[in-house]
Amino acid sequence: EAILAVPRAGQERQEQAAFPAGAAGVLHLVVDSEQLSPVNPTDLSTDRIQIDTVEPRSMPAAGYHTVSVSFTALAGVSAEDLDRWYSDRLEPALGRWVRLVCARPSRPGYFVRPATNPRGQEKDWSIEIYCPAPDCPLSGLPWREQVPVPLGVRKPPSCDGWQQVFTPYRSQKDETIGIRVPIPAVMVDEQIYSWPPTLLVSTVDKFARLPYEPRAASLFGQVELYHPREGYYRQHCVREKGRDHPTFPDLRREVKPLRPPDLILQDELHLIDGPLGSMMGIYETAVDVLCSRLARPKYIASTATVREAREQVQALFARSLTQFPAPGLSASDSFFALVRPGDPRQEAGSGRLYLGFLAPAKGALTPIVRLWAILLQSTAWLENMGVETDSLDPYWTTVGYFNAVRELAGVTGLLRQDVPQWRNHLEPREREEIDEPVELSSRMDSQRLPASLARLERPYPDAERAVLATSMFGTGVDVPRLSLMIVHGQPKTTSAYIQATGRVGRAAPGLIVTAFRASRPRDLDHYEFFTGYHGQLYRGVEPVTVFPFSPRARERALGPLCVALLRNAGELAGRPVSSHWCREPGGATHMVQGRVSDEVAVLASIFERRSTAQPDNRQPSEQAVQREVEAALDLWRQ
């Protein structure tokens, strides 16, 4: 379905193709109209979009319809192309008084929810998500939501109320009962702060918002009031800057604090390394304190390639480590993987065979051209021999892994001209046209990533022939059908090598060809010791280096973390935190009087205690952290 992430207002950018040429999609558009005019699909087609069918259906709510449009992209179609096509073609064809209900034609599942402002006008306020497909399993199910104060009321209710359902999905008998279950997800920061979710998915760089955003305290359960427009909030922490409370003060109601997070999942622990790991580790001090109002949260971290994990976990989270599963009796059986000597082709199921490739005295590009050509041509020969689809599909798509975008761009050019020419030398009668390869790198727009991964999952004969990827491929790309890879040069770390090559050979035996360059001493060394290195691959994983309380990390982070704790904590070491720290503007000036307050007095001891929990060789000198925090607070007061 063509349901994509909706951008924040004013932050839309030029979008690339959401549907590549040949892709098919379905748009389910909810419109408001008393009557729709009949539509001929042929009249709606353009040179970029072929309209196959247009099927309008009436919704239970009076005056609303779902228009299901199935289409095929004749060329690359972006979200903006779909929006333009709707306004130019479909909307005039449906009738004169048609109003689109969803946010945009290319965002058919996102609906803007209005709220009443002080002047009595309705303004766009939040976004709700519904699956607009008429046959969705969430359709036809009664649904209600109870809230302290419903959105849309004009006077304070006498008791807890039922939320008024969005009009198109509202029951005709009761406006508080829905005929379809909404998708309970929020993606915009303002919504997340106002309605804290049960499960929060984030990246660690979002920690940097804690000093700047006092409304983030709601994520840690620090709320005092509820308002139908604002959601859960504290005094001085509302969307409207400079106000203590949202408009319509009679509608607010006092609520109890929410539970803070009690379980934190950290994926890809081996990536929390170097400068990023050091900054994350010191910021975890504030996260740990904010989550520990009732009890300290538990951490579960996952990784496949890490050494000295005990020291890393202690440095990052100030916790002891318990490994699951525990090391077994056999070094060849780690629960996750089974190491068997011999040829993987003789084994049942999946596995990986590593092949080292070095061509001295042949230049830099000639070996690459011939390697790609022979692998692509070999699968074409197997196809001509009538090999079964199930056996051919895993090797029909060749993955190229690169250590730099510059190298990736060079091979992209080779695939356009040099590789087809050499394939013609191998098989003059072969005339297979290879489409533009799928690229997974930092150069691609993040909005194209779901469509690119969907292209990789298409099986033979519609499968892509080539994929060019950088380190992005080793973190989160799970396409089981891929089993053929070319690694261009030895990656800089063994963990990156394991992560990247571990993405192939999952459903069928995999072949990884590591192409070395003889002009690179490191590549030459790995080639000469290829068998021994791969025979004990995990032994070569590098230790992770994380120093959260190093001098430079303390210099950058201690000040912001003091601000983060004062703005987002309800209490520190049992001492209540004044709400004056949350005022905007003017909260920072409270330090003139607040320097001697109880909550400020405990800040230095919080960070000093955290620094002493670091591994022995990563602890700063005694009292160094406490002195730096005290000096920073004195400077703030001055």
Side-chain angles (χ1 to χ4, degrees):
E1 304 298 340
I3 302 178
L4 309 176
V6 89
R8 294 176 60 180
Q11 293 188 359
E12 298 180 11
R13 56 187 176 182
Q14 186 69 26
E15 300 171 9
Q16 302 185 39
F19 293 91
V26 180
L27 288 175
H28 301 287
L29 304 174
V30 178
V31 298
D32 180 8
S33 178
E34 292 297 329
Q35 186 176 2
L36 299 178
S37 302
V39 177
N40 183 5
T42 306
D43 299 336
L44 303 179
S45 299
T46 67
D47 57 344
R48 302 180 68 88
I49 306 176
Q50 174 184 315
I51 305 303
D52 301 320
T53 61
V54 178
E55 184 179 357
R57 302 185 192 179
S58 299
M59 300 176 62
Y64 290 92
H65 308 267
T66 300
V67 181
S68 300
V69 181
S70 60
F71 65 93
T72 303
L74 303 178
V77 177
S78 67
E80 291 183 344
D81 293 333
L82 290 175
D83 297 341
R84 194 178 305 112
W85 167 83
Y86 172 82
S87 59
D88 294 344
R89 296 292 182 101
L90 182 58
E91 188 176 55
L94 291 176
R96 183 177 181 182
W97 305 109
V98 173
R99 180 181 69 88
L100 185 68
V101 181
C102 58
R104 291 170 57 183
S106 57
R107 271 60 170 171
Y110 295 84
F111 298 87
V112 180
R113 186 72 182 264
T116 306
N117 64 9
R119 299 179 180 178
Q121 302 171 329
E122 284 195 344
K123 297 293 184 180
D124 296 342
W125 191 251
S126 63
I127 294 175
E128 292 187 1
I129 308 175
Y130 289 87
C131 177
D135 54 352
C136 175
L138 298 176
S139 177
L141 301 176
W143 178 85
R144 300 179 81 183
E145 180 183 13
Q146 194 172 24
V147 293
V149 184
L151 181 67
V153 298
R154 297 293 187 271
K155 58 183 179 179
S158 57
C159 61
D160 289 350
W162 294 97
Q163 180 62 57
Q164 192 178 64
V165 178
F166 192 51
T167 306
Y169 299 106
R170 182 185 302 171
S171 171
Q172 295 182 351
K173 298 180 180 180
D174 190 340
E175 64 182 13
T176 66
I177 299 179
I179 58 175
R180 176 168 298 205
V181 180
I183 297 174
V186 288
M187 291 177 294
V188 182
D189 288 10
E190 284 74 9
Q191 286 184 293
I192 295 174
Y193 299 145
S194 297
W195 292 277
T198 303
L199 175 65
L200 178 65
V201 181
S202 176
T203 49
V204 295
D205 59 293
K206 204 64 177 181
F207 289 171
R209 289 299 304 166
L210 292 177
Y212 297 94
E213 184 54 79
R215 296 179 62 215
S218 62
L219 299 178
F220 305 98
Q222 297 296 341
V223 296
E224 302 168 350
L225 302 157
Y226 182 90
H227 190 278
R229 289 185 60 191
E230 190 67 33
Y232 294 94
Y233 74 101
R234 295 182 300 164
Q235 187 178 3
H236 312 309
C237 301
V238 296
R239 293 196 204 183
E240 302 171 72
K241 302 299 182 183
R243 299 181 63 95
D244 292 341
H245 297 281
T247 53
F248 299 111
D250 293 340
L251 295 181
R252 66 174 181 257
R253 173 171 295 182
E254 292 186 3
V255 295
K256 296 180 180 179
L258 306 176
R259 289 184 61 87
D262 51 15
L263 179 63
I264 298 176
L265 307 178
Q266 175 62 59
D267 193 19
E268 306 286 1
L269 183 64
H270 60 280
L271 296 180
I272 310 301
D273 185 20
L276 170 65
S278 298
M279 292 302 293
M280 177 191 166
I282 195 169
Y283 265 80
E284 277 287 348
T285 306
V287 175
D288 196 3
V289 171
L290 294 172
C291 291
S292 300
R293 190 177 77 243
L294 302 178
R296 292 192 75 187
K298 294 185 181 297
Y299 286 79
I300 297 179
S302 67
T303 182
T305 52
V306 68
R307 284 184 64 189
E308 300 182 6
R310 191 174 304 277
E311 289 76 9
Q312 184 192 15
V313 168
Q314 185 177 351
L316 289 175
F317 307 122
R319 303 291 202 281
S320 59
L321 175 67
T322 300
Q323 180 179 337
F324 174 83
L329 300 178
S330 174
S332 62
D333 187 356
S334 64
F335 179 85
F336 297 103
L338 185 64
V339 179
R340 292 194 183 118
D343 192 339
R345 295 174 298 177
Q346 308 301 324
E347 300 287 345
S350 59
R352 286 180 292 275
L353 175 67
Y354 289 83
L355 173 66
F357 176 81
L358 182 70
K362 283 293 184 180
L365 299 181
T366 300
I368 299 301
V369 170
R370 299 189 179 183
L371 179 60
W372 274 92
I374 192 65
L375 290 179
L376 292 172
Q377 188 58 39
S378 295
T379 52
W381 282 331
L382 293 174
E383 182 185 35
N384 295 335
M385 294 167 56
V387 174
E388 295 181 0
T389 299
D390 293 342
S391 301
L392 184 61
D393 177 64
Y395 310 101
W396 189 253
T397 302
T398 303
V399 180
Y401 182 83
F402 302 86
N403 298 309
V405 176
R406 176 179 56 83
E407 298 177 357
L408 182 150
V411 172
T412 302
L414 297 178
L415 287 175
R416 293 193 182 106
Q417 182 173 359
D418 296 71
V419 172
Q421 288 180 354
W422 190 255
R423 288 188 64 190
N424 186 54
H425 170 74
L426 296 173
E427 182 61 66
R429 295 170 298 176
E430 190 70 35
R431 288 294 183 270
E432 180 192 7
E433 295 291 336
I434 297 180
D435 297 331
E436 191 72 11
V438 177
E439 181 175 335
L440 299 177
S441 71
S442 58
R443 299 194 307 176
M444 68 177 298
D445 193 320
S446 60
Q447 294 191 15
R448 296 177 58 196
L449 183 59
S452 298
L453 294 178
R455 291 170 61 187
L456 294 183
E457 293 176 352
R458 294 193 307 220
Y460 171 85
D462 299 325
E464 299 291 333
R465 289 295 266 139
V467 183
L468 306 182
T470 56
S471 57
M472 178 190 295
F473 188 79
T475 54
V477 177
D478 297 310
V479 183
R481 55 172 295 272
L482 300 177
S483 293
L484 182 60
M485 171 182 278
I486 303 175
V487 180
H488 291 264
Q490 183 67 28
K492 294 180 173 56
T493 63
T494 302
S495 61
Y497 186 50
I498 295 174
Q499 291 287 339
T501 58
R503 305 292 165 174
V504 300
R506 296 189 170 187
L511 174 63
I512 294 99
V513 181
T514 305
F516 299 105
R517 285 194 181 182
S519 58
R520 296 176 179 175
R522 186 168 179 270
D523 279 17
L524 188 60
D525 181 75
H526 274 83
Y527 178 76
E528 292 175 346
F529 297 95
F530 189 82
T531 303
Y533 173 69
H534 287 79
Q536 46 187 354
L537 192 58
Y538 283 86
R539 187 176 180 180
V541 174
E542 298 79 8
V544 174
T545 56
V546 177
F547 291 86
F549 283 87
S550 61
R552 296 287 77 81
R554 301 199 307 264
E555 180 183 353
R556 287 181 173 272
L558 286 178
L561 287 177
C562 290
V563 178
L565 288 175
L566 292 174
R567 301 189 93 179
N568 294 282
E571 61 178 36
L572 292 173
R575 298 167 174 83
V577 177
S578 172
S579 62
H580 289 285
W581 301 108
C582 301
R583 285 186 181 275
E584 286 192 346
T589 59
H590 184 61
M591 182 56 75
V592 178
Q593 298 82 23
R595 177 65 183 90
V596 295
S597 62
D598 292 339
E599 65 265 30
V600 175
V602 301
L603 287 175
S605 61
I606 289 175
F607 293 103
E608 176 67 25
R609 187 164 54 252
R610 181 81 172 199
S611 68
T612 59
Q614 294 291 300
D616 294 338
N617 59 342
R618 307 183 195 185
Q619 293 182 10
S621 58
E622 188 176 358
Q623 301 298 316
V625 175
Q626 185 158 352
R627 289 193 299 269
E628 291 177 15
V629 174
E630 295 286 358
L633 294 174
D634 289 338
L635 181 61
W636 182 355
R637 182 183 184 181
Q638 295 172 16

